[in-house]
Amino acid sequence: MDKDITPELQDVMEAVHYRPAVSVFMPFDQKMGLKKELTHSLKIAADKVERELLESYPDEMAMLITEKLRGIIQKLDFNTHKKSIAIYVSPVFEKVLYLDIAVEEKIIIDESFEIRYLVYSKKQLHKYLVLLLSGKESRIYLGNTNSFIRILSDTPETVSAYINDAPEKVANFSDMSSRKEIITDKFLHHIDNSLGTILKTYQLPLFVLGSEKILGHFKSFTKHAGAIVEYVQGNYEETTMPDLKKILEPYVADWKKVIQKDLLNQIEDAAGKKKLAVGMREVWRKAMQRKGRLLIVEKNYVYAALHGSHEDIIYKAGKPNNEFPYIHDAVDDIIEKVLENEGDVEFVDKDILKDYRQIALVLFY
C-alpha cells in the first residue's frame, strides 16, 4: 500500500474511540450510475444503520447517529470525480472521504472506525527493480506498468573498471580464465554492495537478469537475496528497454504472487536479523512500543482480545462481551498504530503466513 497517509485519513485514525462508531463504504462513481440511484443506495444504507443501531443501543443514541449520517448524505458533493466514499460517524466525530479507489458497499458498526478496509482496498502500482548483469556491465532500472527508468549508481558499472585490481601475470590459459573470474567476482561484489543503497531507497521487489554463469556467481554471495523475487536466465546485453519490458511481462503478470513472494522474503530476512515479531500477542506488544516498520497480515485474520495489565499486553477473548477492556479486532488497532508511526501495512492471502501464526511485524530496530 501507499505509505503516504492523507490528512483526512489521519483525522479518522486519531479520532477518539467512542461507541457506536459507524463506517459506511459506498461506490460513488458518477459514470457508473445516476445521482438518483446513488442517493437511493445511500438512503437504504442509512436505514440499515438505523435498524442495526436500534437493536444494540439505546434509542436516543441510535437516532443521534442516524440523524448525523443522514445529514452527511444530504450534503455530499455529487460533482466529485472520485470512485467511492467512506463515511465515518460516531457520537463525537464525523468525516467523509472521497476516494480514488473502488470499494464494495460495506457497513461496519463497532467500537472504532474501520481502517483495515481502506488499507486493503488501496491499489498498488506494479513497481519493481530490474538488475541486468552481463560479463561486461550491469544496469539497474526502476520499472512499472508503463515505463522503465535507468537508475545511475556511483559504483562503476563496467567490468573494465576492475581489471587493474586483478593479478596481472598469467602463465597459461587456465591462469587467464582464473584471472577473468577474479575480475568478474570483484565486479559483482561491488554491484551487490551498491544494491544496498538502492534497495533502501526504493524498497521494491527485485528481478535479476543474466546468463546462467553470471547468475550462479551472483547468487553465491549476494547479501540481498531477501529482496530478489526472481532470477531470469538469458543473455540480455543488447536488450532494449521495450524488449526488456516484454521479457518481464510473464513474471509480473500475477502481481499478487510477486508481492507475496517479496513479503515472505522480507519476513525471512528480518527473522535472520532478529527484527521480526510473530503471532498476535508479540506483534501487539512491538506495535504498541512503536517499533513496527512493516505489518504483514492475512487479509481475513481477526483477533478478539482483552486488555492485560499494561497497554502492550493482550489476551485472546473467548467470546464477545460488553466489558470495557474488550477489543473486537486487535488487528485493526495494530494497523492504526503502525500507520500512525510511519510504518506500512500489507495484506496477503489466507495461509500465506501459516508458519507465522497469520501475522508478522518487521521491526525498525
Side-chain angles (χ1 to χ4, degrees):
M1 73 160 268
D2 187 349
K3 288 200 286 188
D4 296 328
I5 304 301
T6 64
E8 291 81 4
L9 183 53
Q10 189 72 40
D11 287 345
V12 179
M13 288 165 53
E14 294 175 355
V16 175
H17 288 204
Y18 202 112
R19 294 183 182 181
V22 177
S23 305
V24 178
F25 304 95
M26 293 286 290
F28 203 66
D29 193 342
Q30 297 294 315
K31 299 173 188 175
M32 302 300 290
L34 301 174
K35 177 180 176 180
K36 185 177 180 180
E37 293 173 348
L38 290 174
T39 303
H40 181 65
S41 296
L42 287 161
K43 180 183 180 303
I44 292 174
D47 291 342
K48 183 177 180 181
V49 168
E50 181 179 357
R51 287 194 303 272
E52 292 191 17
L53 288 173
L54 287 171
E55 289 178 4
S56 305
Y57 294 90
D59 291 359
E60 184 178 350
M61 180 65 75
M63 295 314 300
L64 170 65
I65 299 297
T66 304
E67 286 172 10
K68 289 179 75 171
L69 176 59
R70 290 197 169 111
I72 290 170
I73 290 172
Q74 288 179 356
K75 296 175 183 177
L76 288 174
D77 180 8
F78 284 89
N79 294 318
T80 182
H81 298 292
K82 302 296 185 179
K83 296 180 180 179
S84 59
I85 55 171
I87 303 174
Y88 297 95
V89 187
S90 80
V92 295
F93 182 85
E94 58 186 70
K95 192 81 175 181
V96 180
L97 305 184
Y98 296 90
L99 308 169
D100 286 318
I101 57 176
V103 302
E104 296 178 358
E105 181 177 335
K106 192 176 182 72
I107 296 170
I108 302 117
I109 300 173
D110 203 351
E111 66 177 13
S112 61
F113 296 120
E114 180 72 12
I115 302 298
R116 172 201 294 247
Y117 192 70
L118 280 190
V119 174
Y120 177 62
S121 297
K122 283 181 176 289
K123 290 186 175 179
Q124 301 189 52
L125 293 175
H126 292 194
K127 296 176 71 175
Y128 49 89
L129 294 169
V130 180
L131 174 61
L132 192 61
L133 298 174
S134 75
K136 297 179 180 179
E137 65 173 348
S138 75
R139 284 174 271 158
I140 189 159
Y141 298 95
L142 174 64
N144 61 36
T145 308
N146 302 312
S147 64
F148 274 68
I149 301 170
R150 186 165 180 178
I151 299 173
L152 298 179
S153 170
D154 293 335
T155 302
E157 297 176 329
T158 60
V159 174
S160 59
Y162 303 94
I163 290 177
N164 293 334
D165 294 335
E168 292 186 7
K169 294 182 179 180
V170 293
N172 51 45
F173 180 82
S174 177
D175 289 339
M176 180 71 77
S177 177
S178 177
R179 182 171 184 268
K180 186 177 180 181
E181 283 203 12
I182 291 171
I183 294 170
T184 300
D185 281 353
K186 193 171 187 66
F187 163 64
L188 292 175
H189 272 291
H190 278 270
I191 296 303
D192 191 55
N193 287 336
S194 69
L195 259 184
T197 302
I198 293 170
L199 289 168
K200 187 174 181 180
T201 301
Y202 292 98
Q203 297 180 10
L204 293 170
L206 172 65
F207 293 88
V208 181
L209 284 67
S211 67
E212 181 180 4
K213 188 173 182 180
I214 287 288
L215 293 183
H217 278 278
F218 188 74
K219 287 179 187 179
S220 67
F221 58 72
T222 179
K223 300 188 295 289
H224 306 292
I228 301 169
V229 292
E230 199 73 57
Y231 289 95
V232 182
Q233 188 175 310
N235 185 356
Y236 304 111
E237 273 187 41
E238 308 299 328
T239 305
T240 63
M241 282 194 278
D243 288 339
L244 194 59
K245 183 180 176 184
K246 289 180 182 177
I247 290 165
L248 286 167
E249 277 178 0
Y251 297 94
V252 299
D254 188 347
W255 188 245
K256 182 191 288 186
K257 183 179 178 180
V258 171
I259 290 297
Q260 292 188 155
K261 184 174 181 180
D262 179 53
L263 292 171
L264 286 173
N265 285 347
Q266 290 189 56
I267 287 174
E268 290 176 10
D269 186 55
K273 295 175 180 176
K274 301 189 184 304
K275 293 183 178 179
L276 185 70
V278 173
M280 193 62 205
R281 291 180 62 181
E282 183 64 14
V283 168
W284 174 277
R285 187 167 69 86
K286 295 297 185 182
M288 294 305 122
Q289 293 171 356
R290 303 175 183 273
K291 294 182 179 180
R293 179 177 70 80
L294 173 62
L295 175 68
I296 305 168
V297 60
E298 292 185 2
K299 62 185 179 181
N300 294 319
Y301 182 55
V302 176
Y303 189 97
L306 294 171
H307 284 289
S309 56
H310 296 92
E311 180 194 35
D312 61 0
I313 298 174
I314 58 170
Y315 301 97
K316 188 172 182 63
K319 59 182 180 179
N321 59 65
N322 294 319
E323 296 176 14
F324 178 74
Y326 178 74
I327 307 169
H328 174 74
D329 183 12
V331 176
D332 280 347
D333 287 27
I334 292 173
I335 289 171
E336 290 189 38
K337 185 63 69 174
V338 170
L339 292 176
E340 284 172 2
N341 291 289
E342 300 183 353
D344 202 356
V345 179
E346 292 286 357
F347 288 92
V348 295
D349 289 339
K350 183 179 178 183
D351 292 333
I352 292 293
L353 299 181
K354 60 185 178 182
D355 294 333
Y356 302 96
R357 288 175 275 167
Q358 284 68 56
I359 188 167
L361 185 66
V362 178
L363 310 178
F364 282 116
Y365 53 89

